[in-house]
Amino acid sequence: MAASTSSSTAASPAPALSPAPAPVAAPGKNPLMDCLSCRLLSGTGLLGAHGYVYWIPRRPLKLGYAANPGIIFQMVVGISIACWGLVILVDPVGKTYPAESKKR
């Protein structure tokens, strides 16, 4: 008897899934980075973070202490943060080719 109930539940149709909602923006474009003030705020914030992360390990180096791997790593991270901030400020996405050439 138990076998007949398990076979009847296996034969029941699965509930229909609701369709996925349409995306609001294009998948490759971030709506937050379209606004100039957002880019200026985040880009300058990252440049300020670079100033802190990069210049703090420079202080012992100026005093004559030897550089260790931790100091070098922190300086590399600081430079990377500065590059990230500059990329956000410049916003090079989509500026390589004019829009007319993409339509052809």
Side-chain angles (χ1 to χ4, degrees), residues 2-104:
S4 65
T5 58
S6 64
S7 64
S8 64
T9 57
S12 64
L17 298 175
S18 61
V24 177
K29 194 67 174 168
N30 187 355
L32 179 65
M33 290 298 141
D34 283 343
C35 104
L36 178 64
S37 63
C38 298
R39 283 194 352 248
L40 287 175
L41 182 66
S42 60
T44 55
L46 285 169
L47 287 176
H50 151 73
Y52 178 76
V53 172
Y54 180 79
W55 289 105
I56 292 298
R58 290 278 299 168
R59 188 174 301 148
L61 293 178
K62 287 182 180 181
L63 294 175
Y65 293 107
N68 61 22
I71 289 176
I72 302 297
F73 179 74
Q74 189 172 358
M75 292 172 69
V76 168
V77 168
I79 292 171
S80 301
I81 290 172
C83 292
W84 185 19
L86 286 174
V87 165
I88 288 178
L89 284 174
V90 173
D91 190 29
V93 177
K95 294 183 181 178
T96 306
Y97 300 104
E100 294 80 28
S101 65
K102 289 183 182 178
K103 292 180 182 177
R104 292 182 200 178

